[in-house]
Amino acid sequence: RRYGLWFRLRKLIIWLLGVYIAIPFLVKLCPAIQAKLVFLNFVRVPYFIDLKRPQDQGLNHTCNYYLQPEEDVTIGVWHTVPAALWKNARGKDQLWFEDALGSSHPVILYLHGNAGTRGGDHRVELYKVLSSLGYHVVTFDYRGWGDSIGSPSERGMTYDALHVFDWIKARSGDNPVYIWGHSLGTGVATNLVRRLCERETPPDALILESPFTNIREEARSHPFSIYRYFPGFDWFFLDPITTSGIKFANDENVKYISCSLLILHAEDDPVVPFHLGKKLYNIAATSRSFRDYKVQFVPFHTDLGYRHKYIYRSPELPRILREFLGKSEHERHH
């Protein structure tokens, strides 16, 4: 009996080892696999929620829209008005919400990270915090995420963000518009803001939560990467990402951005290592493009337990935003 058990165990170990060795070759032969692992758009947590009904997530002052950035592409958008407009917003239609963007409240365009949808729990909680502070919050699912139609790509995600930004600006009058990116969304955010600065229509400020330098360094540093010490790791795993046209080069983009920049990062972040956010700040702080703008890095101590997606819980966040965005407003008018 003992011999039979050992034989089965040895057989299982050989099989697992074979799978472990085969996966790198499979990824190299099919770069689309690595792209799916970067985007994780097929992971639609939380499951069984109706994205057409944000009120089911406690967002009673939120309207669901659908916009069309390109032919054959439709993206689902949520617009949460400031809490001060909550009573007025009840029962109102899309036209009322669009008109409300012209009210005297700043707007935050929120770009979420990979996996999940605009209805993710930590995302919803952040919308509530920002709404309570007096901001409009506009967020959306990139093509291929949630109920948005289209195939995901870095170019497509950036174009979707540009389309929503322009849609906001067409309705918000002279109100400040800020860009907030989280995790993979920081890559979309810097792509977007670089493009906006190049066409001389920068946002009023850029906020990056849990950012990385570029997707290759993030993939190499990711704690869940069990192959990082595998011989030829770059060739097997990182080159296919580049082959798929995925760069999310925050470290390059910040050299071409001209607006105030705030970076928020938790020291105990298990997904995007803290040192990558700090490295990005050091690159931005010494960049000539930021010489006339404020660049600030706010770390959150490990003991707070905010990890990758719970910075919204910080009681200091309202003060941090008020002080930073207040200074951004001063720069905007001078």
Side-chain angles (χ1 to χ4, degrees):
R1 187 183 303 170
R2 188 180 300 170
Y3 177 79
L5 182 63
W6 165 244
F7 178 78
R8 285 196 296 272
L9 183 61
R10 189 174 63 176
K11 195 173 179 181
L12 177 63
I13 291 171
I14 292 171
W15 183 82
L16 290 174
L17 188 62
V19 169
Y20 178 79
I21 293 171
I23 285 175
F25 291 94
L26 187 62
V27 168
K28 186 65 181 179
L29 291 171
C30 305
I33 294 174
Q34 190 71 324
K36 285 186 177 293
L37 293 175
V38 170
F39 296 138
L40 292 178
N41 58 301
F42 55 89
V43 180
R44 300 197 175 186
V45 290
Y47 299 104
F48 313 118
I49 71 166
D50 185 353
L51 292 169
K52 295 183 179 67
R53 293 178 51 83
Q55 61 268 32
D56 292 349
Q57 309 309 307
L59 295 170
N60 295 317
H61 50 319
T62 299
C63 187
N64 181 66
Y65 310 145
Y66 290 97
L67 301 179
Q68 192 168 13
E70 296 179 300
E71 191 177 353
D72 300 325
V73 175
T74 304
I75 56 174
V77 181
W78 280 1
H79 171 199
T80 302
V81 297
L85 302 178
W86 182 83
K87 289 185 178 179
N88 293 336
R90 284 186 293 183
K92 295 298 195 300
D93 60 10
Q94 179 174 335
L95 189 59
W96 182 91
F97 275 81
E98 289 190 38
D99 288 344
L101 284 169
S103 64
S104 57
H105 295 273
V107 185
I108 290 179
L109 171 57
Y110 178 77
L111 304 171
H112 69 64
N114 67 356
T117 69
R118 61 191 183 277
D121 294 344
H122 64 284
R123 295 163 187 164
V124 168
E125 293 306 313
L126 178 63
Y127 312 154
K128 291 176 181 176
V129 170
L130 297 177
S131 171
S132 72
L133 297 176
Y135 299 102
H136 289 275
V137 183
V138 178
T139 188
F140 67 95
D141 281 316
Y142 317 103
R143 60 187 72 188
W145 271 259
D147 58 353
S148 296
I149 298 168
S151 299
S153 67
E154 180 174 352
R155 186 208 69 83
M157 294 164 74
T158 303
Y159 191 81
D160 293 344
L162 177 64
H163 182 81
V164 177
F165 178 85
D166 286 341
W167 179 88
I168 292 169
K169 289 295 287 184
R171 292 158 178 78
S172 60
D174 292 330
N175 295 327
V177 178
Y178 309 120
I179 309 293
W180 184 311
H182 173 243
S183 193
L184 190 68
T186 64
V188 182
T190 64
N191 281 348
L192 169 63
V193 177
R194 175 177 176 175
R195 188 163 175 175
L196 294 175
C197 290
E198 286 172 347
R199 75 175 196 187
E200 299 183 352
T201 58
D204 294 282
L206 171 62
I207 301 167
L208 301 178
E209 179 188 357
S210 310
F212 48 85
T213 46
N214 59 69
I215 200 65
R216 287 180 72 100
E217 287 199 353
E218 159 58 8
R220 188 180 292 114
S221 304
H222 200 294
F224 303 149
S225 177
I226 60 173
Y227 287 96
R228 74 176 82 176
Y229 303 114
F230 194 91
F233 175 78
D234 284 25
W235 188 78
F236 278 112
F237 290 96
L238 302 186
D239 290 351
I241 296 177
T242 307
T243 300
S244 299
I246 303 171
K247 296 180 179 178
F248 292 114
N250 289 335
D251 49 355
E252 280 301 308
N253 288 338
V254 295
K255 298 173 185 176
Y256 299 91
I257 288 174
S258 302
C259 69
S260 297
L261 171 65
L262 172 64
I263 296 178
L264 309 171
H265 214 134
E267 292 178 355
D268 59 338
D269 190 329
V271 178
V272 180
F274 177 79
H275 72 85
L276 290 185
K278 187 68 174 177
K279 183 177 179 180
L280 181 65
Y281 165 74
N282 290 334
I283 294 170
T286 57
S287 171
R288 291 180 61 191
S289 67
F290 285 105
R291 62 182 177 271
D292 297 324
Y293 298 94
K294 181 176 178 59
V295 180
Q296 183 177 353
F297 183 84
V298 179
F300 295 86
H301 197 273
T302 300
D303 293 347
L304 297 169
Y306 295 152
R307 297 170 66 78
H308 184 59
K309 56 188 182 182
Y310 301 113
I311 287 176
Y312 72 83
R313 294 177 178 171
S314 172
E316 294 297 310
L317 187 60
R319 177 191 59 78
I320 292 166
L321 294 178
R322 186 168 57 249
E323 291 180 359
F324 176 78
L325 295 177
K327 289 176 182 176
S328 299
E329 276 299 280
H330 179 79
E331 290 169 355
R332 178 172 178 254
H333 293 296
H334 293 79

